[in-house]
Every structure is written in C-alpha cells, then in structure tokens.
Amino acid sequence: MLSEVLLVSAPGKVILHGEHAVVHGKVALAVALNLRTFLRLQPHSNGKVDLSLPNIGIKWAWDVARLQLLDTSFLEQGDATTPTPELVEKLKEVAGLPDDCAVTESLAVLAFLYLYLSICRKQRALPSLDIVVWSELPHGAGLGSSAAYSVCLAAALLTVCEEIPNPLKDGDRVNRWTKEDLELINNWAFQGERVIHGNPSGVDNAVSTWGGALRYQQGKISSLKRPPALQILLTNTKVPRNTRTLVAGVRNRLLKFPEIVAPLLTSIDAISLECERVLGEMGEAPAPEQYLVLEELIDMNQHHLNALGVGHASLDQLCQVTRARGLHSKLTGAGGGGCGITLLKPGLEQPEVEATKQALTSCGFDCWETSIGAPGVSIHSATSLDSRVQQALDGL
Ligand code: MEV
C-alpha cells in the first residue's frame, strides 16, 4: 500500500441533451464542467478511517479493527460488483447510521464504505486512512456532484491500494491515468453512483472520469471529435430535488402511457443525434445558422422534458427570462428544479450577458458563465500545488 498523500480531483458535468432518455437506452451528449470536486487522502496509523465532507458538514470515523472483524463476504472479491438493495441494507448495519441520519449524509457514507470495503479488502489488512472531500459544485443541482465524489473516491482508493499506479512523476503538478486505469476507475465509480442513485445510466461518472465532451449510450462512450468551444450560462435555480425520485417518475409515466412517452424518448434521442451532427460540423468557425439549429433543439427538448414531468416553475422562469433576451435555455440533469443551461451565441455583447445574469440573479438564482470540456479525473502534486488546489485547501 502507498504511504504518500494523494490529491485527486474530478469535474462535474452538464448534459446538453438526452437526460432521462439515456436511462432508457437512448443517446446522451454530456460535457465536463470547469467546476471540480477535490479529495485528499492521507494514510495514517491511528487505527481509524476518517471521512470528512466539509461542504455538507459530515465527519465520520470508524475503527479499522472493528471493520476488519465484520463479515464482509457479502462484497464479492475482485471486480466491481453491483450493489444490490440487500447489500446496501447490510452496509447500513456496518456503517451504524442513526435512524434520523439525513439522506444525503447516509448515501455519501454508504457509497464511501462500499468503495472502501470492496476495493481495500484485497489488502492483508484494511488501511487506516484520513479522507477529506470538498467541492466547487453545488450539491443536488444536476451537475454530477455525486458522480465526481464517487470518481474521486474510486481513483484515490484504487491508487492507494496499488490496484492502479500513481501516474504522477517527479516534477509533475498534475497528471492523469491511462485508458485502462480510467476504465477501472469508471467501473468502480459507477457502483458508487448505484449506491447513491439506485439505477443511474452511468453518464455522470463517465464524463467525470474521461472529461471533455462525450456521447454516451448504454455504457458505450465515445469522445466528440473537435467539439466547438461553446460558452454557456449555467443557472442554479436552487430548488432542491432528488434524482432518484425524478428518474422513477419518468419510468412510471413510461409504464402508464407507453405509446405517448416512448415516442418522446425516441424524439429526444433524435435531438441528441442532430446536435452531435451539428457540433461535428461547426469546427472552429461556427456559422450563425448552426447556432439557430442548436437553439431550436434546446427549445424542443425542453418541451419534451416538461412532458416527461421533470420540469419546474423555476425552470420555466429561467426559460422565459432568457427568451425575453433572445436566448434559449433548457434544464440540465434530472430537472424538477436544479440547474439549467443557456446557450451564449458568439458576438453577444458582454453587457447583454451581464444584464441576463443580473435578471436571473434577481429571480433568486445563482448564475455563472462557463466554458465546457474540462479534463477528467486527475491527480495533483501534494507538494507543488497549483493555485486552484491550494485555494481549495485553504478554504477547508
Ligand atoms: C442525471 O444527471 C441524468 C439522468 O439522466 C439520470 C441518469 O442518467 O442516471 C436524469
């Protein structure tokens, strides 16, 4: 087992098109966001496993000796195994979670224990570790914060247990793992996501692992070739919602009205494919007509998502405010509140962008301008920190 401090980060994501439809085997187009989750892992020798999540005020500690004595044969040794509901129930006993534990806290703790026990049980003795995870991503807003959490945990635990090598060489500030290692990280992170979300499609952890811009369908991932550097306005309505419940709601609607809902999913699939085609043609000098197509696709998908039952009054307000300024928006992620994206056309004057941000902020929303296509999971030097990681550490 490695004895050095590991610093890992992974990005959040926005889905351009295909949320919800992707759960039913359709295509999603997703891009990594320039907002990241960070994890610091320090091996220690006090016989404890400590987990701190300062963003949500969580601090947990377990005795390694107690965890070592537990019968964890319910976690099959070897490859990433699917966390069944029975397994999650067993993990709850292991965790010793109080009955009144908040849902977010209990799911974060269960995903951690699942990954720690499954990945580290190959070691002769379970390791004593101090782990802190913090994030620039708002939690529960559809930006893939739970996936970035699972990806960071999987990458750090696999590295400390030497299941994958530490790619950081002397003098590196930051580096990434090989394709094979990223595949392993992604597989384990997907299982962590399953503990948290029940039946996720896997798109969030894939984007967080690989970064850039991806097409995702039924576990098959491919990078978009030369995607244009789109500028978007990201708006957090701050309306809380639960991905698991929203995904279940769409499934129920599909079961209740198959002839109505299945064509909606097929149409969303076609929107994703058309968007992929247009992005592929845009290259470095996009034409105004291509932006017009992207805007039409955004509008159509937003209406479909409303018909699936995952809209919200706050998202309608976002669409109206931006529409009044000639801009087009849709929800991103699970919907029901959370976040939306607005496409910023080239040539839009900065005062107009600022005025739109102001109008959205006065609705009570958080709003920021961002570019898309950030690098996926990365490992940072703990001794020569870049300023962003240093800032994040200072903020702890
Ligand atoms: C959540 O970011 C995206 C959904 O499609 C769920 C999933 O893909 O697991 C709503």
Side-chain angles (χ1 to χ4, degrees), residues 283-396:
E284 273 164 25
E289 310 80 65
Q290 290 170 318
Y291 271 91
L292 290 177
V293 175
L294 292 185
E295 289 175 343
E296 266 188 273
L297 296 176
I298 286 176
D299 291 344
M300 287 190 283
N301 198 358
Q302 177 61 16
H303 287 301
H304 286 350
L305 288 161
N306 271 322
L308 290 179
V310 297
H312 188 271
S314 61
L315 293 163
D316 293 342
Q317 196 180 9
L318 161 66
C319 292
Q320 280 153 14
V321 168
T322 54
R323 192 71 200 90
R325 296 170 178 276
L327 299 172
H328 299 250
S329 309
K330 67 175 274 290
L331 69 84
T332 183
C339 283
I341 49 172
T342 307
L343 184 66
L344 298 178
K345 293 181 264 221
L348 198 67
E349 300 289 337
Q350 196 56 30
E352 186 49 28
V353 177
E354 290 306 324
T356 310
K357 277 161 78 176
Q358 187 53 51
L360 291 168
T361 311
S362 53
C363 298
F365 304 155
D366 281 345
C367 188
W368 53 108
E369 204 182 329
T370 182
S371 60
I372 51 184
V377 63
S378 305
I379 185 155
H380 304 261
S381 159
T383 46
S384 63
L385 292 177
D386 60 39
S387 57
R388 177 146 173 222
V389 183
Q390 184 64 59
Q391 255 174 11
L393 275 171
D394 291 346
L396 282 184

Side-chain angles (χ1 to χ4, degrees), residues 69-392:
L69 287 178
L70 290 168
D71 175 11
T72 49
S73 53
F74 60 93
L75 299 163
E76 269 172 45
Q77 196 142 351
D79 299 335
T81 50
T82 306
T84 58
E86 299 73 49
L87 187 148
V88 174
E89 278 313 306
K90 289 227 170 74
L91 275 176
K92 279 188 187 157
E93 285 168 33
V94 171
L97 292 169
D99 290 343
D100 59 351
C101 186
V103 179
T104 310
E105 173 167 355
S106 75
L107 292 176
V109 168
L110 292 177
F112 166 72
L113 276 180
Y114 169 76
L115 291 172
Y116 169 78
L117 291 172
S118 307
I119 293 173
C120 300
R121 67 202 279 279
K122 282 198 193 160
Q123 303 288 304
R124 237 176 339 107
L126 287 172
S128 176
L129 302 172
D130 179 57
I131 294 179
V132 189
V133 190
W134 68 102
S135 191
E136 298 168 341
L137 291 158
H139 167 74
L143 301 181
S145 61
S146 69
Y149 171 70
S150 296
V151 169
C152 281
L153 281 175
L157 292 170
L158 287 165
T159 305
V160 77
C161 292
E162 297 182 271
E163 294 285 317
I164 56 176
N166 182 345
L168 213 57
K169 304 283 167 289
D170 274 352
D172 284 352
R173 282 188 161 218
V174 62
N175 213 332
R176 306 202 58 224
W177 287 266
T178 62
K179 182 169 173 289
E180 288 70 32
D181 295 341
L182 289 174
E183 265 158 20
L184 194 62
I185 293 172
N186 189 41
N187 286 345
W188 278 108
F190 184 38
Q191 306 312 335
E193 272 284 89
R194 279 183 155 155
V195 173
I196 297 173
H197 289 306
N199 183 29
S201 63
V203 63
D204 291 11
N205 48 280
V207 184
S208 189
T209 302
W210 299 99
L214 299 182
R215 168 202 227 264
Y216 181 94
Q217 186 173 29
Q218 288 183 318
K220 272 181 55 199
I221 304 157
S222 54
S223 294
L224 298 195
K225 305 279 171 286
R226 291 180 290 109
L230 295 183
Q231 287 292 120
I232 57 163
L233 213 54
L234 183 64
T235 301
N236 184 1
T237 64
K238 297 196 265 183
V239 174
R241 79 301 172 278
N242 180 300
T243 300
R244 188 188 271 258
T245 314
L246 287 153
V247 167
V250 173
R251 185 173 300 282
N252 289 341
R253 202 169 264 200
L254 177 62
L255 290 172
K256 193 169 170 192
F257 305 111
E259 307 226 322
I260 300 170
V261 176
L264 287 174
L265 300 176
T266 305
S267 177
I268 292 176
D269 194 50
I271 289 174
S272 297
L273 295 178
E274 179 64 4
C275 181
E276 184 186 10
R277 190 188 65 74
V278 176
L279 291 179
E281 282 177 6
M282 281 174 96
E284 273 164 25
E289 310 80 65
Q290 290 170 318
Y291 271 91
L292 290 177
V293 175
L294 292 185
E295 289 175 343
E296 266 188 273
L297 296 176
I298 286 176
D299 291 344
M300 287 190 283
N301 198 358
Q302 177 61 16
H303 287 301
H304 286 350
L305 288 161
N306 271 322
L308 290 179
V310 297
H312 188 271
S314 61
L315 293 163
D316 293 342
Q317 196 180 9
L318 161 66
C319 292
Q320 280 153 14
V321 168
T322 54
R323 192 71 200 90
R325 296 170 178 276
L327 299 172
H328 299 250
S329 309
K330 67 175 274 290
L331 69 84
T332 183
C339 283
I341 49 172
T342 307
L343 184 66
L344 298 178
K345 293 181 264 221
L348 198 67
E349 300 289 337
Q350 196 56 30
E352 186 49 28
V353 177
E354 290 306 324
T356 310
K357 277 161 78 176
Q358 187 53 51
L360 291 168
T361 311
S362 53
C363 298
F365 304 155
D366 281 345
C367 188
W368 53 108
E369 204 182 329
T370 182
S371 60
I372 51 184
V377 63
S378 305
I379 185 155
H380 304 261
S381 159
T383 46
S384 63
L385 292 177
D386 60 39
S387 57
R388 177 146 173 222
V389 183
Q390 184 64 59
Q391 255 174 11

